[in-house]
Amino acid sequence: MFARITGAAFRGILVAMLFAMPSLILPASATESPEIIVFIALLGAALAFAEYYSHFPSFVEFRSAPPINRMRFAAFAATVGSLSLLAAHPLAPTGLTALVQQLGGWLGSQLEFAFSPVQLAVLMMPPQVPEATVLMVRDAAALASAAAVAAIAVFALVIRVGHWPVGSGAFNVWINLPLFDPTTGGDVVQRLQRDARINIICGVLLPFALPAAVKLATGLIDPAMLAAPHMLVWAVSGWALVPASMVMRGMAMLRIAGLIAQKRRAASLDANEAMQTA
C-alpha cells in the first residue's frame, strides 16, 4: 500500500513538473496567466495520482508494462524542456539556451528537405510572419521530430532486444489495455492487429496532415500564434509526440497480438502431441 501511494504521488509530481516546466524556464514576462498553469499542473498531478493509485484501470494504457509510458513521458519532458529553452533564447539568452538554439538550427537545416514534416511546418506559416518566427518554428519542429523518432527507435529496440513485455511478467490485457474489450467483436488477434495498423498509419500521416490542415483553415486558425512562446512549446510538442505515441501504441499492440498468436500455436502443438501420445 505504501509503495503504491508513494509511486502514484511521485508520478503525480512529475506530471505537475512537466506542465509547469515552460513557465519555470521561460522568463516571467512570457507567462501571462500563471494561475491557469498552476491549475492545469495540479489537475494533471491529481489525475496521474488517482490513476496509478487505483487498483482498477481507467484510461492510461500499459501502466503495468514498463517502460513504454516512461519512454513517452521522457520524450515529452525532453521535448517540452528543449523547446522551452529554445523559446527562451531570444528573451533571456544563456549558454544553455544558445546551445539548444544551435542544435535546433542544425537539425532544422538538415530536416528541412522536400515534403518533410519540418518543411510543411515552415510552409504553414503566413508570409507576413517575421523570418525569426519562421526559423523558430522550423527549429522547434526539428527538435520535436528528432525526439519523436528517437523515442520510437528506442521502443523498437526494447521490443526487439529486451523482448518487451515478457521481461515485465505476465501481460494483463484488462489492466494494460483498458480501452480494448477482448470479449466483443471478432478474433482478439485480428482486432489487435487492425487497431495497431490504424494507430501506426495515423501516427505516420498526422505530422504531414496537420500542417496542411492548418494551412487550409487559415481563416479559422492563425499559425502566427506560434510566435507566443507557450503556444510554440505545446503546439509543436503535441504535433510531434502525439503521433509518435500512436505509433508506439501500434507497435505495442502488434507485439501483444504476436505473443497471443504464438501462445495459441504452442497450445495447439501441445494438444496435438497429447492426442498422438494417447
Side-chain angles (χ1 to χ4, degrees):
M1 177 64 71
F2 179 75
R4 178 178 290 273
I5 293 175
T6 54
F10 180 68
R11 289 175 172 87
I13 292 172
L14 289 179
V15 171
M17 291 178 62
L18 174 64
F19 283 110
M21 189 183 300
S23 298
L24 297 176
I25 294 176
L26 290 167
S29 59
T31 304
E32 298 180 356
S33 302
E35 62 277 0
I36 297 179
I37 296 173
V38 171
F39 173 75
I40 294 175
L42 292 176
L43 179 61
L47 290 175
F49 177 83
E51 173 65 27
Y52 279 92
Y53 175 71
S54 173
H55 291 276
F56 305 100
S58 58
F59 62 92
V60 176
E61 297 182 325
F62 306 109
R63 72 174 195 174
S64 298
I68 178 171
N69 286 339
R70 297 172 187 176
M71 294 174 59
R72 285 172 168 174
F73 181 85
F76 266 99
T79 303
V80 170
S82 61
L83 296 192
S84 299
L85 291 170
L86 180 68
H89 183 68
L91 304 174
T94 62
L96 183 58
T97 61
L99 179 63
V100 174
Q101 194 273 336
Q102 291 178 2
L103 177 61
W106 179 79
L107 286 173
S109 63
Q110 298 297 316
L111 298 179
E112 191 186 3
F113 51 85
F115 305 108
S116 70
V118 175
Q119 187 190 57
L120 293 177
V122 172
L123 296 176
M124 171 189 70
M125 302 301 293
Q128 68 272 16
V129 174
E131 184 180 359
T133 302
V134 176
L135 290 177
M136 180 74 70
V137 171
R138 185 201 69 174
D139 297 347
L143 284 170
S145 299
V149 172
I152 294 172
V154 172
F155 184 57
L157 285 176
V158 170
I159 293 177
R160 185 71 175 178
V161 179
H163 305 290
W164 181 91
V166 177
S168 303
F171 186 87
N172 190 312
V173 176
W174 178 65
I175 292 177
N176 292 298
L177 291 173
L179 304 179
F180 179 83
D181 187 0
T183 62
T184 61
D187 182 69
V188 173
V189 173
Q190 293 179 356
R191 290 176 56 209
L192 283 171
Q193 292 175 343
R194 180 197 62 196
D195 292 352
R197 294 188 182 102
I198 292 174
N199 275 269
I200 292 175
I201 292 172
C202 291
V204 171
L205 293 180
L206 274 178
F208 299 89
L210 287 177
V214 172
K215 187 71 173 179
L216 293 175
T218 304
L220 301 175
I221 303 174
D222 185 11
M225 292 188 301
L226 294 178
H230 282 275
M231 181 63 70
L232 175 72
V233 170
W234 291 113
V236 175
S237 297
W239 164 77
L241 292 176
V242 170
S245 181
M246 295 177 66
V247 172
M248 294 171 68
R249 182 177 188 267
M251 294 166 60
M253 296 180 79
L254 280 179
R255 172 65 171 167
I256 301 305
L259 290 176
I260 294 175
Q262 182 180 357
K263 189 173 182 180
R264 285 180 177 177
R265 288 193 296 268
S268 177
L269 289 175
D270 291 341
N272 291 334
E273 291 178 358
M275 292 179 62
Q276 292 175 2
T277 303

